[in-house]
Amino acid sequence: MKLRNIYLVLISLLFISWNSAGPKYPTDYFELPLNRSVLLSGTFGELRPGHFHSGIDIKSLKGTSGEIVSASAQGFIARIKVAPGGYGNAIYIAHPNGYTTVYAHLDHFDETVAAYVKEKQYELKKFSVDLYPKPTQFQLNKGQLIGYMGNSGSSSAPHLHFEIRRTSGQVPINPFLFGLQVTDKVRPDIGKLQVYYLSEDLKQIDVREYPLLRTASGRYTIADTLSEGAWRVGFALKTTDKMDGAPNRNGIYELQMQVDDDPRFSFALNEVPFSKTRYLNAHIDYAARQKKKGYYHRCFKLPGNALDIYSRYKNNGVVKLYSNQSQKVSIEVNDINGNISTVTFFIKRDADMSASQIPAAEFSADNEGSLSITKSNFKCTIGTGALYAQTGIDYRTEKSGQNHYSALHHIGSENIPLHKYISISIKPEDLPSALRDKAFVGRLDEEVITNYGGKYSNGYFTASVREFGNYTIEVDTTSPMIKPIQFSSKMQGASRMRFSITDNMPIGGKARGLRYNAHVDGKWILMEYDAKKDMLTHRFDERISTGDHEIVLKVRDDRGNVAEFRRTFTR
Ligand SMILES: [Zn+2]
């Protein structure tokens, strides 16, 4: 063989191996950030509301905060974020190999980091900070203490949320691809199968739900051949994974579907960039989730789904049915440790096709087009890429109850997912001009009104929303509530003071949550805000000396209603 040909062969071999195996990750670089074996309450790619879980959740040993969290590898602290929700207290460590590790929901930081953060909070006069220290400031060795496990931010119990990201682009990657290990010999659990009747342009016509028969460990089936009145169908599986020693239902890693032993659809949860994580709403059966039936993984890809987790096969997993020939469908589900479960069943087309009528809707739009709806006192604009597939959208209106300053406008269905914000404009009726500043676009769901904010212009209130449903105009003239939880005029010996702050209604869309500030003797003081507990906490330090003081705490809601708490106290 000529040298040139050898080079060509080598180059194509390299290309093939990269293509089939995907990028390689270093498997001996990172260690778990806890100095013990761990149990997980969440896996990478697990299905969560509006996103794929971007890391692993490590359970605390005894259900309490305070366990030591250490650096997964050598590096430096590149970012420190403090927020009342989300990741709470979070540390980001950049490593010289091009990856970043993230440690979230920490109870508190290591002493030197905590002092730096507090200084910045006083400098910026803000509790929520997003800091990027110089690379030389906090250099860390592998295993060095960085903070303590906790429950800060949007966390429902003490745990450590741990991520590994590619530093460039901050793309979260499955941490178990880096050689980290958790004992797991339990096979994934497969709950139910759903079959969707699909039109040629993949509009959903009907859906059927089937319980599965477990015939052996990891083996599931449906006894009878499915006979469906549809030209083409898609499938979805409700499936989760348990691990050794923990009751938690975590996410699966991989799914592969074959029809008559021919690969038709597969996905693997290796990487999900934040820019695409909301496509979860297209990956799952959103309507089933809305109806509280849990998370179903679709085994076919909707046209507007831009996730990169799928392999490309003909028809994207959509299966044509034949009346004279039943096909064998086999769906295999894997966890990251290679435990496998499989469901196998047969399906054919039924002679009765009466269920295959596309339901009529007043409007229709798909993922590529846009749609503007104009009705009496109501407008709605759905932009390109807001929907995931060809979708029927209905509109109707009815009189609304008292306290509403417009009719109730029903647009679409709460079972239809929206990827992007759409705009809703409603013309207020009989709204006194003095109340205009306090009026908002509200979404009514089971008697509860949610404030979606909105601006008044040209006779209409316009708000951005990412849910279809029932919208109306309402006003909010009620101030937030401030309730002292740990406070009295005699604070001698107290380590902290606490106040609960609450509002009269929930917010959605782009409406703003409660904003607050606290001053003692006219000077700004740090109040840590835990949004899930509605709690403000000030920890006393040398900034407030012994003696008499006055505290002023102000809280403001989205519509500018203000509450004030003003008292004197002795420390
Ligand atoms: Zn998590």
Side-chain angles (χ1 to χ4, degrees), residues 48 53 55-57 105 159 161-162:
R48 300 274 175 96
H53 191 227
I56 55 173
D57 287 341
H105 307 307
H159 75 282
H161 172 95
F162 175 69

Side-chain angles (χ1 to χ4, degrees), residues 438-456:
K438 303 294 177 193
F440 61 86
V441 174
R443 182 171 185 267
L444 190 65
D445 186 21
E446 290 171 2
E447 309 287 306
V448 176
I449 191 97
T450 299
N451 171 8
Y452 276 72
K455 283 205 174 85
Y456 184 79

Side-chain angles (χ1 to χ4, degrees), residues 219-239:
R219 294 274 163 193
Y220 299 81
T221 190
I222 297 170
D224 300 319
T225 295
L226 300 182
S227 188
E228 307 292 351
W231 296 106
R232 61 192 72 69
V233 293
F235 303 105
L237 270 195
K238 188 174 174 181
T239 173

Side-chain angles (χ1 to χ4, degrees), residues 15 24 63 71 130 163 174 242 274 282 289 322 332 404 454 462:
F15 186 72
K24 287 271 179 281
D130 193 0
E163 290 179 16
N174 195 326
K242 278 192 197 168
F274 288 108
R289 165 84 180 137
Y322 305 96
E332 185 184 289
H404 300 298
T462 300

Side-chain angles (χ1 to χ4, degrees), residues 30-50:
F30 296 106
E31 64 182 21
L32 285 166
L34 279 105
N35 190 19
R36 60 172 172 87
S37 65
V38 301
L39 298 175
L40 301 187
S41 54
T43 49
F44 182 88
E46 193 171 309
L47 311 176
R48 300 274 175 96

